[in-house]
Amino acid sequence: MVDNSSSNYQHLFKIVLVGDAGVGKTHLLHRYVKGKLPTNKPSTIGVEFATKNVELRNNQGVVKAQIWDTAGQERYKAITSAHYRRAVGALVVYDVTKEDTFRNAQRWMEEMRASAEPECVICLVGNQVDRVEINPVLRQVEYETAKRFADANNMKFEETSALTNKAVTDVFDNLLHYIYEVKLAQEGANGIDQLEAESKKYKKLTEFTSPDEERKKSGCC
Amino acid sequence: MNTEDDNRIPQIAQHQESPRQPEDVPYSDQESQASTKDKESTSDELNQAAHKLEEIKRSMFERRVKKFDRVLQSKVVDLDQLRSLAWSGVPPHQAGYRCKTWKLLLDYLPNDQEILAETLSRKREEYTDMVEHYFGGISYDNQQDLFKKREMSPYEVKSIKQIRIDVYRTQPEVKLFSTQPIQIMMIRILFTWTMRHPASGYVQGINDLAAPLILVYLTEFLQNVNQDNIYEIAEKDIEEIIPDQLVKIEADVFWCLSKLIDDVQDNYTDMQPGVHKIINKMKKLIEQADPEVLKYLDSLDINFMDFAYRWVSCYLTREFDIYQIVRLWDTYLSEEDGFSQFHCYVVSALFLQFSKNLKEMSFQDALLYLQNLPTQSWQDDDLNILMAKSFEMKELYHNNNRLYQ
Ligand SMILES: Nc1nc2c(ncn2[C@@H]2O[C@H](COP(=O)(O)OP(=O)(O)OP(=O)(O)O)[C@@H](O)[C@H]2O)c(=O)[nH]1
Ligand SMILES: [Mg+2]
């Protein structure tokens, strides 16, 4: 288990969660970060922020994921979209039992592409799959349909359930790995230095080392 | 009460002369003396003091109840008097006081008792007519059948979907809001409101404004609701209220919600200019009070929109537990422009109360802190202090503005 609060990490990735209201963005995030379902979560107003430190495979260091959960209703787009900037990863979430939330996923994706970093990795997520596992009639978006749509638009794809925890950790962890790989490939073998430098730059911008930690580092006593 | 709180009492006292000074600010001199007793006092003395304090509080409470009695039962209710009484909180557990006070202050009930009954029945009838039009009748039994009685436009379908999702997630800590009759009531109220306000339509967060109204208007008909059992009101309690009465409650909530939002309509229209206006003013107020913390947030690249948006647009319903929200709204409704103006001082005072803790924090910690203020466990005293500070800030701001003009 990686210490979540520590500032001991090598990479800092900003990730955004978008999708229609009620598809389960907040539940997915809570499940991932806290390891359990939220007990009492009302709708998201504006944006909610969370972080998690994750160890990359093959000793490639620790990533701090800064995750922004956004409000789903259209009316909030003006404030939530300000957060697409600088995002290097995004989950576009829909509800497998609601066709319209899937149709809107296209718009969410386009908006994401328009304002996020050009190399932003997007993963399409069909949530609430537990419900169709119990009652297949509820399914309104076929797996294949969504997969084809994701492939055609250069997105990863996964079906999840925040309720049963199906594929939730994978979706987030994989996204972080993809982002890392994209950065690696894009910047070449020595580009990773640059990536780290940039991460540090961003880290410096957003992180402030408390005097306490400063002291620990210098190891005075 | 801790010593820091006690420090504020003299400040509150400074405002005794102000014309809108709320009566009976719940911090008396006796109280402050009692709680700052010397450490050397024997425990006996302390006990005595505590006992005396209790007595004083009780007698103050009884005095307030009497005053409310007098004001609310007069033939023509003196609204100014009612405002200054209710400002520091309507006495809890007196069935009907708060309900009536809110309706009067929202200008839903006429203050003249003579025309009260007639006005009420006209308004309630008007509402049931609207409901008849949209839903083909009113019942509290079956949620699925709510919209089955007529063809819906795509806009209506979209609004219903959004309202439903949100109603199921309203005040999830309070059982009352997950009971079927209350959910049906809320869906109808929000949908009817939406149809009559095409400029904004339904916006997430409006459900949060309906909840305190429903709670207050409903508890008039429930026995012995208090701070401890408010979360436990269940379906069986509501079943004791006859449907006719539920319809009246529903109509009253609808009209009062409409009145409330009328004053802050531009929080909910496109681009939400109302919210931006309040946040901008909030920044100005904070700049006057504590420019350092503003600079610090800037250096962290934290934007006020990232945390204050919810405070402002949901009227703090997400930051406090429902009991405190109701208390907070006593003050909002007693202020001339509580929701449109005074609210701004409250969110600013709230920020300043916690901002001293920010100064050492990282970007991440500061943002998490601001998005999850430790206010859920607040008690009456905490809220009273916040109200006093907000009032002080308002006075200061007004005086300063006069100075500069
Ligand atoms: N069965 C099931 N229900 C879920 C799942 N995820 C979320 N829900 C339910 O769907 C509702 C909405 O979930 P939220 O996480 O609040 O949705 P959201 O996407 O954050 O919505 P907004 O904040 O309004 O944008 C809640 O009542 C959840 O209980 C899931 O995986 N399975
Ligand atoms: Mg959410």
Side-chain angles (χ1 to χ4, degrees), chain A residues 21-22 40 42-43 45 47-49 51 64 66 68 73-76 79 83 100 205-208 211, chain B residues 161-162 165 169 172-173 200 202-204 268 272 296 305-306 309-310 318 362-364 367-368 371:
Chain A
N40 292 307
S43 64
I45 304 289
V47 289
E48 275 174 41
F49 177 74
T51 70
K64 179 183 279 297
Q66 283 191 341
W68 295 83
Q73 201 186 13
E74 244 169 65
R75 186 55 57 85
Y76 284 109
I79 39 168
H83 290 279
D100 54 333
L205 247 169
T206 54
E207 195 82 21
F208 174 80
Chain B
K161 274 189 190 159
Q162 183 68 60
I165 301 173
R169 294 183 289 176
E173 308 255 348
S200 71
Y202 173 73
V203 179
Q204 288 191 294
Y268 304 103
Q272 294 119 327
Y296 185 65
M305 291 298 276
D306 296 344
Y309 190 87
R310 189 177 71 196
R318 297 292 185 89
S362 65
F363 165 83
Q364 168 186 327
L367 195 54
L368 285 172
Q371 288 196 345

Side-chain angles (χ1 to χ4, degrees), chain B residues 48-164:
Chain B
Q48 265 175 13
H51 194 74
K52 195 161 168 221
L53 176 63
E54 274 310 302
E55 238 167 53
I56 291 166
K57 274 189 174 166
R58 201 172 326 116
S59 84
M60 273 174 64
F61 181 77
E62 277 160 16
R63 262 214 322 274
R64 281 173 61 71
V65 171
K66 278 208 194 92
K67 281 189 191 165
F68 264 95
D69 262 342
R70 212 183 46 236
V71 172
L72 287 177
Q73 275 157 25
S74 48
K75 235 169 115 58
V76 176
V77 176
D78 182 337
L79 290 178
D80 279 338
Q81 246 183 11
L82 184 61
R83 278 198 194 96
S84 69
L85 262 181
W87 198 95
S88 35
V90 179
H93 327 324
Q94 300 285 321
Y97 273 22
R98 183 170 263 136
C99 189
K100 192 161 181 199
T101 302
W102 282 25
K103 286 174 188 170
L104 280 162
L105 295 182
L106 276 163
D107 193 25
Y108 171 58
L109 285 187
N111 65 338
D112 185 345
Q113 307 274 5
E114 212 148 89
I115 55 168
L116 190 144
E118 188 259 323
T119 312
L120 258 187
S121 71
R122 185 166 40 82
K123 279 296 190 189
R124 287 168 175 168
E125 204 170 308
E126 212 177 309
Y127 177 73
T128 41
D129 285 351
M130 285 189 277
V131 166
E132 180 66 37
H133 172 73
Y134 294 123
F135 300 88
I138 202 163
S139 93
Y140 295 91
D141 300 333
N142 196 332
Q143 222 178 98
Q144 296 317 313
D145 289 347
L146 254 186
F147 291 97
K148 289 241 168 84
K149 302 207 172 79
R150 80 196 169 91
E151 203 64 36
M152 294 275 174
S153 74
Y155 174 73
E156 286 174 305
V157 172
K158 195 171 152 203
S159 305
I160 288 162
K161 274 189 190 159
Q162 183 68 60
I163 288 170
R164 271 224 159 99

Side-chain angles (χ1 to χ4, degrees), chain A residues 20-27 43-44 70-72 127-128 130-131 161-163, chain B residues 169 204:
Chain A
D20 280 7
V23 296
K25 300 179 292 297
T26 301
H27 279 66
S43 64
T44 308
T70 64
N127 191 38
Q128 308 211 11
D130 58 283
R131 294 173 61 207
S161 163
L163 190 73
Chain B
R169 294 183 289 176
Q204 288 191 294

